[in-house]
């Protein structure tokens, strides 16, 4: 029984029973705040459960996991990465539920840690990215928590800004409360242009990008209406209090903090990039929801007049007058490249900036950590460089990942291995910007690959197979009837048929890119012209043996 400093209890209770030569350990945890009721509840639960046999309790548990693993499928020929990927799916299911607290940075495997909270300046975002492509939205606690505790996101701002604005501190408890007004309580949101407290103000906007991804992968308009739009409106409003016109006619931000570089900077790229994404998303959301928002002209003005992102000969800077000049694990100064996809490789005019920024960032050894390499892998995947993406994941595996696929920085942290699973997703499929890209960044060694029920933006479920180094077939099922534009990666002439083999019309909109009109529930199968491939989903053979994850057997 652990008494909590703020009041309440955290309790672990267990009982071991032996019957017919079989030992069964029953364990439960309970938490209460501010009342001290957790002990009684834990004892009640453990007494009830331990009266039941393992054979009574296990079937529902086993059925849940069987259903969970069948919701999507990814098979690739790299045995080490293949096993790693499926372990991450296990770990995220062990750590997350939509109705559970947002994951603490150490996950559920507790030991001594310097990270005893939920961290919102990168960790939460990385923890939950993989749930979208892997088709596990039942694990999305971020959308639920931001909606449920939205009042706390305004109440923790400085008093003048609480009425119309919102922000999230760097660290919070399960109710998104920081405790910044208490000794050792944490980090407040801060105020642009002032320090202390550190003016780290973009974290809510970035967290809402995760919620927007949930909307885009489900096309559930209630997520947009009830969570994304009202909260993004408030997080952008906080920025608008501090934007000022400069002599150059552009809008500028006073000094803010780019996680976790250590220097405040005016026109900080972390905040400029999130502000631009926020204004654009609000305008799109208002159009989709049919809202005539009186703030819309201001959002358009920001998009038209916001100062350009500060850059120098080494690419993206931290902010105006602050170059990227030391080793730094975060890619907070490059969010427009990834995950916002606002500066992309598909724009030839941006390629030199992206490549220069990426190379300069990872070129500083010293402070680089595991998620440096997952970010670099995903950026390389956006560039279509599968070999580079695989190289960065190899660096992660060889330098940082533990024998059980766990990861630590001073103490255990869960986000980096989970984000490596998302890097694999980015190599296999990308669906940003309204285009579904099939196998955009696969290394040459991955000549065989199968994916099934991979969830994309637009609420499509993708299945596809690569054989002998070429895309063999692609199948898309629409859950929402959203526009379907797909870069299919098949060679030569193609044909598109529905689930019953009837031809579907399509429009070519670019090299290897087609638009298909799919109704909700309708399916499209893309193949080479005249081909009728076997659409059975089965695992591919490993290219070569690889050691299993886990501690060596004694």
């Amino acid at each position: 029984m652990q008494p909590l400093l703020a009041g309440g209890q955290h309790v672990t209770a267990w009982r071991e029973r032996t019957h017919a030569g079989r030992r069964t350990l029953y364990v439960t945890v309970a938490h209460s705040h501010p009342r001290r009721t957790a002990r009684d509840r834990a004892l009640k639960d453990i007494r009830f459960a331990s009266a039941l046999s393992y054979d009574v309790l296990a079937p529902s548990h086993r059925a849940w996991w069987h259903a969970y693993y069948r919701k999507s499928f990814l098979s690739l020929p790299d045995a080490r990465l293949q096993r790693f990927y499926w372990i991450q799916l296990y770990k995220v299911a062990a750590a997350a539920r939509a109705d559970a607290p947002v994951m603490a940075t150490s996950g559920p495997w507790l030991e001594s840690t310097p990270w005893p909270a939920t961290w919102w300046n990168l960790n939460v975002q990385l923890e939950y990215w993989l749930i979208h492509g892997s088709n596990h939205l039942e694990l999305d606690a971020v959308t639920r928590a931001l909606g449920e505790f939205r009042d706390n996101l305004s109440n923790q701002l400085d008093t003048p800004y609480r009425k119309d604005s919102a922000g999230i501190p760097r660290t919070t408890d399960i109710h998104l409360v920081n405790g910044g007004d208490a000794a050792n309580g944490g980090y407040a949101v801060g105020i642009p242009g002032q320090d202390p407290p550190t003016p780290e103000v973009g974290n809510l906007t970035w967290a809402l990008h995760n919620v927007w991804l949930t909307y885009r992968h489900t096309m559930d308009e209630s997520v947009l209406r009830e969570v994304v739009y009202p909260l993004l409106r408030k997080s952008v409003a906080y920025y608008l209090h501090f934007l000022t016109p400069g002599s150059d006619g552009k809008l500028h931000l006073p000094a803010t903090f780019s996680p976790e570089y250590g220097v405040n900077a005016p026109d900080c790229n972390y905040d400029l990039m999130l502000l631009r994404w926020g204004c654009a998303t609000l305008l799109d959301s208002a159009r989709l929801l049919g809202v005539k928002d009186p703030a819309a002209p201001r959002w358009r003005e920001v998009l038209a007049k916001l100062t350009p992102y500060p850059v120098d000969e080494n690419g993206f800077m931290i902010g105006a007058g602050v170059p990227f000049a030391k080793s730094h694990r975060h890619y907070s100064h490059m969010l427009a490249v990834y995950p916002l996809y606002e500066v992309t490789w598909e724009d030839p005019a941006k390629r030199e900036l992206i490549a220069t920024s990426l190379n300069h960032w990872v070129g500083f050894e010293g402070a680089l950590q595991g998620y440096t390499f997952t970010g670099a892998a995903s950026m390389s995947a956006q560039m279509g460089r599968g070999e580079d993406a695989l190289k960065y994941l190899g660096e992660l595996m060889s330098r940082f990942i533990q024998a059980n696929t766990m990861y630590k920085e001073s103490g255990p942290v869960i986000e980096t291995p989970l984000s490596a699973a998302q890097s694999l997703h980015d190599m296999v499929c990308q669906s940003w910007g309204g285009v579904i890209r099939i196998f955009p960044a696969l290394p040459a060694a991955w000549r065989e690959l199968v994916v099934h029920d991979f969830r994309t933006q637009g609420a499509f479920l993708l299945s596809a197979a690569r054989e002998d180094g070429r895309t063999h077939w692609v199948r898309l099922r629409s859950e929402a009837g959203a526009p379907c534009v797909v870069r299919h990666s098949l060679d030569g002439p193609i044909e598109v048929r529905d689930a019953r083999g009837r031809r579907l019309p399509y429009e070519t909109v670019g090299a290897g890119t087609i638009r298909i009109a799919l109704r909700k529930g309708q399916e499209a199968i893309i193949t080479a012209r005249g081909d009728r491939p076997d659409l059975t989903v089965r695992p591919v053979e490993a290219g070569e043996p690889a050691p299993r994850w886990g501690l060596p057997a004694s």
Side-chain angles (χ1 to χ4, degrees):
M1 185 173 68
Q2 179 182 350
L4 304 178
L5 293 176
Q9 300 172 321
H10 188 86
V11 175
T12 303
W14 69 95
R15 170 178 280 179
E16 184 175 311
R17 303 292 295 268
T18 302
H19 179 72
R22 184 166 69 174
R23 298 164 60 208
T24 304
L25 179 66
Y26 301 80
V27 185
T28 191
V29 296
H31 181 92
S32 63
H33 172 76
R35 295 187 300 166
R36 300 172 64 85
T37 57
R39 175 184 178 275
D40 292 342
R41 189 168 73 250
L43 290 175
K44 180 181 178 180
D45 289 348
I46 208 71
R47 287 167 180 152
F48 172 80
S50 61
L52 303 174
S53 72
Y54 176 88
D55 294 332
V56 171
L57 293 170
S60 61
H61 174 81
R62 189 177 293 119
W64 189 94
W65 283 100
H66 285 336
Y68 173 81
Y69 282 124
R70 289 188 173 101
K71 294 192 78 171
S72 64
F73 183 73
L74 172 62
S75 181
L76 51 95
D78 186 319
R80 187 79 163 157
L81 272 177
Q82 172 78 99
R83 294 170 185 147
F84 175 88
Y85 176 78
W86 285 97
I87 294 171
Q88 304 325 300
L89 289 186
Y90 163 74
K91 285 158 63 177
V92 73
R97 294 288 187 280
D99 60 350
V102 175
M103 275 185 262
T105 299
S106 57
W109 296 281
L110 292 177
E111 56 184 89
S112 181
T113 177
W115 320 109
T118 302
W119 292 65
W120 292 90
N121 61 353
L122 171 137
N123 308 76
V124 167
Q125 290 84 342
L126 272 62
E127 288 165 357
Y128 285 91
W129 279 339
L130 81 163
I131 69 173
H132 299 109
S134 63
N135 197 19
H136 287 299
L137 274 298
E138 74 275 17
L139 307 181
D140 180 15
V142 177
T143 296
R144 192 266 316 151
L146 290 179
E148 181 177 353
F149 302 119
R150 66 185 68 200
D151 288 347
N152 292 337
L153 305 180
S154 294
N155 293 340
Q156 294 176 94
L157 295 180
D158 208 45
T159 303
Y161 309 107
R162 293 177 182 176
K163 183 176 180 179
D164 67 352
S165 301
I168 199 163
R170 185 184 303 174
T171 59
T172 71
D173 68 3
I174 62 176
H175 301 115
L176 311 191
V177 173
N178 171 252
D181 56 350
N184 299 317
Y187 306 89
V189 175
I191 299 174
Q194 299 184 28
D195 195 352
T198 302
E200 186 176 295
V201 300
N203 300 336
L204 175 59
T205 313
W206 192 7
L208 286 168
H209 180 260
N210 275 51
V211 183
W212 177 83
L213 287 174
T214 290
Y215 159 68
R216 284 292 301 152
H217 282 80
T218 62
M219 301 306 289
D220 181 349
E221 193 174 282
S222 68
V223 173
L224 191 66
R225 181 188 306 107
E226 296 169 13
V227 184
V228 175
Y229 189 76
L231 277 177
L232 187 59
R233 194 180 189 280
K234 287 190 171 185
S235 69
V236 165
Y238 191 52
Y239 280 120
L240 299 184
H241 284 292
F242 306 100
L243 273 181
T244 55
S247 59
D248 57 358
K250 301 294 185 181
L251 295 173
H252 296 268
L253 278 174
T256 56
F257 184 76
S258 181
E260 293 171 344
Y261 193 75
V263 178
N264 297 339
D267 292 333
C268 175
N269 269 326
Y270 177 69
D271 292 295
L272 292 180
M273 292 169 177
L274 288 167
L275 176 57
R276 183 174 293 279
W277 173 82
C279 288
T281 301
L282 282 170
L283 289 168
D284 286 344
S285 301
R287 176 180 54 82
L288 290 167
L289 296 172
V291 174
K292 295 187 181 298
D293 199 306
R298 178 62 164 158
W299 301 334
R300 294 190 188 95
E301 180 189 25
V302 172
L303 292 179
K305 296 183 179 180
L306 190 65
T307 189
Y309 305 138
V311 299
D312 61 14
E313 67 276 8
N314 295 316
F316 288 111
M317 304 168 68
I318 295 299
V322 181
F324 188 94
K326 63 180 180 179
S327 185
H328 181 43
R329 60 187 178 175
H330 271 253
Y331 46 95
S332 47
H333 64 302
M334 294 179 64
L335 292 192
V337 179
Y338 185 83
L340 302 181
Y341 289 105
E342 191 256 324
V343 174
T344 75
W345 194 254
E346 293 186 3
D347 180 354
K350 302 297 185 183
R351 290 185 175 182
E352 183 178 355
L353 173 60
I354 294 171
T356 299
S357 300
L358 174 59
N359 292 336
H360 185 65
W361 170 48
V362 299
F364 280 102
E365 281 291 350
L368 304 185
Q369 292 291 346
Y371 59 73
T372 305
F373 294 96
T374 67
S378 289
M379 291 181 200
S380 297
Q382 193 214 115
M383 299 160 75
R385 296 179 174 179
E387 305 296 340
D388 286 351
L390 184 60
K391 177 193 73 174
Y392 286 125
L393 289 180
E395 288 284 305
L396 169 72
M397 301 295 165
S398 63
R399 295 171 56 176
F400 297 99
I401 297 296
Q402 307 295 301
N404 57 0
T405 83
M406 296 292 193
Y407 171 79
K408 62 182 180 181
E409 289 183 29
S410 304
V413 284
I414 195 173
E415 81 291 311
T416 291
L418 301 185
S419 71
Q422 177 59 31
S423 297
L424 281 172
H425 286 176
D426 293 329
M427 297 165 72
V428 170
C429 178
Q430 299 170 29
S431 54
W432 50 272
V435 178
I436 302 168
R437 300 160 182 82
I438 312 299
F439 304 151
L442 299 187
W446 294 5
R447 297 183 63 78
E448 318 288 326
L449 192 142
V450 169
V451 62
H452 177 59
D453 280 354
F454 184 96
R455 182 171 289 276
T456 76
Q457 292 190 38
F460 296 95
L461 292 180
L462 164 72
S463 300
R466 176 177 172 90
E467 297 180 9
D468 196 26
R470 301 173 67 179
T471 301
H472 196 36
W473 56 268
V474 172
R475 180 172 60 206
L476 286 163
R477 179 160 58 88
S478 174
E479 288 193 338
C484 180
V485 178
V486 55
R487 192 164 299 158
H488 50 72
S489 73
L490 276 83
D491 297 331
I494 63 164
E495 61 184 40
V496 183
R497 296 180 178 270
D498 67 13
R500 298 172 62 182
R502 299 171 297 190
R503 289 185 181 273
L504 283 176
Y506 66 88
E507 176 188 1
T508 300
V509 293
T513 307
I514 61 174
R515 178 183 291 113
I516 314 168
L518 283 182
R519 300 185 303 275
K520 180 179 180 180
Q522 194 175 16
E523 192 171 274
I525 301 167
I526 309 170
T527 65
R529 185 176 297 169
D531 192 13
R532 295 293 183 270
D534 179 3
L535 302 182
T536 303
V537 174
R538 55 173 62 90
V540 304
E541 296 290 332
E544 57 185 37
R548 295 183 179 274
W549 294 96
L551 296 174
S554 57

